[in-house]
Amino acid sequence: MIVLAPPEQVEGAQCETVSETQAIEIVHELFDEMKEFLKQNQGKGLAGPQIGKNLKFFMMATSDGEYKIFFNSKYYGTASRTQSGESCLTYGKDRYYRVKRYKAIQAHYQELVDDKLVPVKVNVRGFDAIAFQHETDHLYGETIAMKGDPIKNN
């Protein structure tokens, strides 16, 4: 069962690189649970530190409806930045923050293919680029509350 870590455990988390053996375990032990948790909570992404695992991985529901686990990710901006209104499961879905994000990125990550970690570089735009940045930031101890400004609810 997935249990969210408290914000103070997620903020500043120092995550370790995921090995092939760990990636296999994560996919076999957590994929279905993470996917179900995201569906039940209307979430778009869930990172290792949010569930008490200080390892560089996250699951994201992509804009084409696929649920995918990304390992050892990082990104590089390839377009100007925009203001993004974001919420996070760490703080509750009703708290929003305005965060500066790249409109497009080059995403670098590894994916598990036939029990092997395979490097991937891909250009990403739009919602998926924003979500990839948000989730990758978790792996480096950064959250929307640390990077952005609260948006007041009226």
Side-chain angles (χ1 to χ4, degrees), residues 80-138:
S80 63
R81 290 180 183 237
T82 187
Q83 293 283 339
S84 173
E86 301 177 26
S87 66
C88 182
L89 292 168
T90 297
Y91 301 107
K93 294 180 291 185
D94 58 342
R95 290 180 60 189
Y96 285 83
Y97 293 83
R98 188 171 290 110
V99 182
K100 282 190 175 188
R101 298 282 187 198
Y102 293 107
K103 294 178 186 178
I105 60 169
Q106 184 175 77
H108 294 226
Y109 61 92
Q110 292 176 303
E111 64 183 0
L112 195 64
V113 178
D114 297 325
D115 291 340
K116 301 284 182 204
L117 280 175
V118 177
V120 177
K121 290 181 189 175
V122 63
N123 293 320
V124 184
R125 302 188 70 76
F127 174 80
D128 286 347
I130 300 293
F132 192 94
Q133 291 170 78
H134 177 116
E135 297 306 326
T136 297
D137 285 350
H138 279 302

Side-chain angles (χ1 to χ4, degrees), residues 54-94:
N54 285 348
L55 294 169
K56 291 181 180 175
F57 76 95
F58 65 87
M59 174 177 277
M60 188 173 97
T62 62
S63 58
D64 64 4
E66 182 182 1
Y67 287 83
K68 186 173 180 177
I69 294 183
F70 299 83
F71 298 99
N72 305 317
S73 63
K74 55 187 170 185
Y75 60 87
Y76 302 94
T78 59
S80 63
R81 290 180 183 237
T82 187
Q83 293 283 339
S84 173
E86 301 177 26
S87 66
C88 182
L89 292 168
T90 297
Y91 301 107
K93 294 180 291 185
D94 58 342

Side-chain angles (χ1 to χ4, degrees), residues 1-5 29-38 40-41 46 50-53:
M1 181 172 101
I2 299 292
V3 177
L4 289 177
E29 295 174 13
L30 295 174
F31 186 91
D32 291 336
E33 284 185 63
M34 290 177 77
K35 180 178 176 180
E36 188 59 32
F37 184 88
L38 286 174
Q40 288 178 356
N41 291 279
L46 188 62
Q50 292 178 284
I51 58 172
K53 309 265 186 217

